[in-house]
Amino acid sequence: MNRKISACLLSALLLSADAFPLGYLYAGGDFVEQTTVMESQWKGKRVAFLGDSITDKKRIGTTKCYWEYLAEMLGLQPFVYAINGNRMDGILRQANRLLEERGDSIDAIIIFAGTNDYNAGIPVGEWYKEGEKEAQVAGPSMELRKHREPVMSDSTFKGRINLVMDFLKTNYPDKQVIMLTPLHRGKARFSDRNVQPEEAFPNKNGVYVDTYVQAVKEAANIWAVPVIDLNGISGLYPLNDSHTRYFHDGETDRLHPNAEGHYRMAKALMYQLLAYPASFD
C-alpha cells in the first residue's frame, strides 16, 4: 500500500512539474525570465559538475550551459570543474581538485564525459581482469575459485571509469554520484587540424560512439551509481539538419549545443533528477 502511495506522489510531482515556474522558459525563440524555483529535493544542494567542453564554465558554443538552467529550475548550487577537451582520465584529475578545494562539503557529483575518449580512439577495454584466489567456504575451509578485480588502468575507457569511480566511492561514500551518457555527435571542423567526423563513422580504432555510450550505461551496475541516458532522452540529433537549431553552427560545429540545446538538455535532466535523492543526509 505504501509503495502505491509513493508511486502516486512521484507521478503527481512529475505530471504537475510544468505548473511550477522553471527559472527561464524557452518560448517563441527567446528566453522569458521567471522568478520562482521549483520546490524539490535539489533546492539548495551543492552539486559538483565534472566533464568536458559541454560543461566547461567557458561556455563553448553557447551563451548558457545546462547546469545554469538546472540551477534556475531546481535551485541547486553548481560547482563546475569541467575542462574543454578532457577525457575520462581528466575527470579523475577534476575529482582530485574537487576534493582538494571542497573536501566533502558537497551533496552530489554529476559526471558528463566520454565523447572525447571516443574521438581520440581510446580503447574501450574490459571492466575486470580474472584470475584465481582462495575463498573461505563452509566448514570452514579454503577453496580455490575464479576471482575478478576491476581493471584500474588509464589506458582504456572502462579502466578510466573504474579509476574515477573507485576514487569517488572511497572519498565520497555518502554522496550522490550520477553519470550522464555522451550526446549524439554531428560533424565539427574547428580548424584544418581538428576535424571530427559525425558519429556515422567509427573512430580510428573502428569503434562507433555507441560502444562508449553503452559502457557508461554499464557503469551503473558495475559501480552502483545512477546513469541518466542523456544520449537518448535529450532528443538532440545533430545528424538531422532540422536539429541544427540546437547546435552552435550547422556548418562547422554540430558537436556543441547552443543555448537552446542546453535548455533542452536541462529540461530533460530536470525530470530525471527529480527521481533521485540529491543527498543522503
Side-chain angles (χ1 to χ4, degrees):
M1 188 64 177
N2 288 338
R3 288 182 181 177
K4 291 181 179 179
I5 292 173
S6 298
C8 289
L9 288 173
L10 178 58
S11 297
L13 175 61
L14 294 178
L15 289 172
S16 64
D18 280 332
F20 289 88
L22 300 179
Y24 279 78
L25 173 66
Y26 193 91
D30 201 0
F31 288 95
V32 180
E33 185 172 2
Q34 298 183 356
T35 57
T36 306
V37 174
M38 177 185 289
E39 293 294 334
S40 79
Q41 71 273 29
W42 291 91
K43 188 174 182 179
K45 296 301 182 182
R46 300 156 299 182
V47 182
F49 288 85
L50 314 182
D52 50 39
S53 58
I54 299 178
T55 308
D56 195 322
K57 287 187 290 187
K58 294 179 180 178
R59 302 180 183 87
I60 311 299
T62 185
T63 56
K64 200 162 191 175
C65 290
Y66 70 92
W67 47 266
E68 293 176 277
Y69 291 120
L70 285 175
E72 292 166 349
M73 293 173 177
L74 297 175
L76 57 80
Q77 300 179 49
F79 297 89
V80 181
Y81 289 84
I83 298 175
N84 181 17
N86 268 200
R87 304 166 191 166
M88 196 60 72
D89 57 340
I91 302 302
L92 182 59
R93 292 191 293 272
Q94 293 172 31
N96 272 281
R97 185 181 159 208
L98 169 64
L99 184 63
E100 291 171 3
E101 293 184 358
R102 300 198 60 81
D104 67 349
S105 62
I106 207 82
D107 296 300
I109 301 168
I110 294 179
I111 303 167
F112 185 23
T115 193
N116 290 324
D117 295 81
Y118 152 78
N119 184 63
I122 302 302
V124 177
E126 301 294 336
W127 291 115
Y128 299 105
K129 57 183 177 182
E130 193 175 79
E132 291 186 328
K133 191 173 181 179
E134 284 193 330
Q136 189 174 44
V137 296
S141 64
M142 302 301 292
E143 182 178 290
L144 190 63
R145 291 190 177 185
K146 287 183 179 180
H147 180 265
R148 67 183 186 183
E149 296 180 354
V151 173
M152 299 294 177
S153 169
D154 63 3
S155 63
T156 68
F157 186 57
K158 291 180 179 178
R160 291 175 173 185
I161 294 176
N162 282 342
L163 286 169
V164 170
M165 288 296 109
D166 183 64
F167 179 87
L168 294 178
K169 289 290 185 180
T170 300
N171 293 285
Y172 294 100
D174 58 341
K175 309 302 180 183
Q176 176 67 281
V177 177
I178 298 175
M179 297 189 74
L180 313 181
T181 59
L183 294 173
H184 284 274
R185 290 179 57 104
K187 181 181 178 180
R189 179 171 181 167
F190 303 115
S191 69
D192 289 343
R193 297 177 62 85
N194 187 358
V195 180
Q196 302 182 21
E198 65 185 43
E199 66 177 43
F201 297 94
N203 61 20
K204 64 184 181 182
N205 292 334
V207 181
Y208 290 98
V209 69
D210 314 48
T211 304
Y212 295 79
V213 172
Q214 182 59 34
V216 175
K217 291 180 182 179
E218 290 172 4
N221 295 111
I222 299 293
W223 285 100
V225 295
V227 171
I228 297 176
D229 185 13
L230 198 58
N231 181 271
I233 68 167
S234 71
L236 298 180
Y237 193 68
L239 280 73
N240 189 303
D241 289 342
S242 68
H243 275 241
T244 56
R245 62 178 285 188
Y246 294 113
F247 290 86
H248 180 218
D249 189 299
E251 296 299 320
T252 62
D253 186 3
R254 296 195 189 189
L255 183 63
H256 296 108
N258 58 22
E260 188 176 359
H262 275 269
Y263 177 80
R264 184 162 177 167
M265 290 164 56
K267 190 70 177 291
L269 284 170
M270 178 195 72
Y271 280 91
Q272 298 294 310
L273 290 173
L274 288 172
Y276 295 113
S279 67
F280 296 99
D281 295 339

